[in-house]
Amino acid sequence: VQLQASGGGLVQAGASLRLSCTASGRTLSNYAMGWFRRAPGKEREFVASIARNGGSTYYENFAKGRFTISRDNAMNTVYLHMDSLKLEDTAVYYCAAQSWGTDHPSGSQLMYDFWGQGTLVTVSS
């Protein structure tokens, strides 16, 4: 499956942004999906994940209450809606597909088989 992340950009602190990840090659409903990010000078980290049927979601602590992951399998797309953006949310955001244990979305990068190219989110003061 090929993944294409989009929706990044330059926003002010406190703003909202929605990222999209569109799949091609295979139907997205076969995979649990995750969002990860890499901030400048830091390791890539987990943000949020969602089961293949959308029945369960999992968030890193910093994302709870501000970020929402969702999916539209008919559109072959997964979303990450981000509210109340902070300067420290500046990062390249990646979507990834998990092909095993798809009813239990993982927070571990090791569980993800396919990765998109990333979309840059820059939060300014």
Side-chain angles (χ1 to χ4, degrees):
V1 62
Q2 291 79 45
L3 303 174
Q4 179 76 40
S6 62
L10 174 63
V11 296
Q12 287 193 317
S16 298
L17 200 61
R18 189 181 76 165
L19 306 182
S20 300
C21 174
T22 302
S24 60
R26 296 250 180 117
T27 178
L28 203 63
S29 60
N30 291 330
Y31 304 92
M33 296 295 296
W35 284 97
F36 295 80
R37 71 183 187 183
R38 187 194 303 272
K42 295 187 177 181
E43 297 291 319
R44 188 164 60 186
E45 63 179 350
F46 170 70
V47 178
S49 58
I50 186 167
R52 65 183 178 95
N53 62 0
S56 63
T57 56
Y58 176 39
Y59 294 91
E60 187 56 87
N61 285 339
F62 67 78
K64 292 178 181 177
R66 295 193 301 128
F67 294 4
T68 303
I69 188 170
S70 62
R71 65 191 299 158
D72 183 340
N73 286 341
M75 296 295 292
N76 245 20
T77 301
V78 174
Y79 304 98
L80 183 69
H81 186 93
M82 304 183 291
D83 290 322
S84 303
L85 283 163
K86 304 176 181 180
L87 297 180
E88 53 264 40
D89 294 320
T90 294
V92 177
Y93 284 73
Y94 300 89
C95 59
Q98 173 188 334
S99 58
W100 295 94
T102 54
D103 291 330
H104 305 285
S106 176
S108 170
Q109 299 182 48
L110 298 176
M111 289 293 292
Y112 290 84
D113 309 287
F114 305 98
W115 292 81
Q117 86 292 353
T119 185
L120 176 62
V121 174
T122 304
V123 184
S124 66
S125 59

